[in-house]
């Protein structure tokens, strides 16, 4: 376990974010191998960013700065995002009250 801890500390010194690394027990007890793989890929990205190796997976973004005009910012304040939901065409007509079971009708399917 000590070697795994040393590896994780070295990864942090190398520039890998702590959130991208795994916990020692994830590898030692074989609990969360997906996070172990993500940590190794994060180390690969850090090595590629420093030019020490060819990285695996997508490259890390450096920055994505954008400039908007005041007009564009004001126009964006009037938009309701889909995460807030929409009530177009919705109503409660036909809804059953709480506690009442669904009304299922038997139909004759044989013709």
């Amino acid at each position: 376990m000590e070697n795994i801890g040393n590896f994780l500390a070295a990864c942090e010194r190398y520039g890998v974010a702590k959130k991208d690394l795994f916990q020692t027990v994830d590898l030692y007890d074989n609990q969360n191998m997906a996070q172990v793989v993500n940590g190794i890929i994060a180390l690969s990205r850090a090595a590629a960013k420093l030019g020490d190796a060819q990285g695996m997976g997508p490259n890390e973004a450096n920055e994505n700065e954008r400039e908007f005009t005041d007009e564009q910012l004001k126009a964006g304040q009037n938009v309701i995002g889909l995460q807030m939901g929409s009530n177009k065409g919705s109503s409660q007509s036909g809804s059953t009250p709480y506690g009442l079971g669904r009304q299922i009708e038997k139909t004759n399917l044989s013709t």
Side-chain angles (χ1 to χ4, degrees), residues 27-96:
L27 179 59
Y28 189 77
D29 292 338
N30 196 17
Q31 288 183 354
N32 191 357
M33 293 308 290
Q35 187 61 35
V36 173
V37 171
N38 286 337
I40 293 170
I41 291 173
L43 175 62
S44 170
R45 283 195 315 263
K49 189 174 184 179
L50 295 174
D52 291 342
Q54 182 178 356
M56 295 186 308
N59 293 333
E60 236 175 69
N62 293 333
E63 68 180 74
N64 189 6
E65 191 172 323
R66 297 183 174 137
E67 294 181 20
F68 296 104
T69 63
D70 289 334
E71 183 180 313
Q72 289 172 325
L73 292 173
K74 287 179 185 176
Q77 291 175 351
N78 297 330
V79 175
I80 297 176
L82 290 177
Q83 287 181 335
M84 293 181 195
S86 172
N87 63 353
K88 291 184 177 180
S90 64
S91 72
Q92 292 184 347
S93 66
S95 297
T96 56

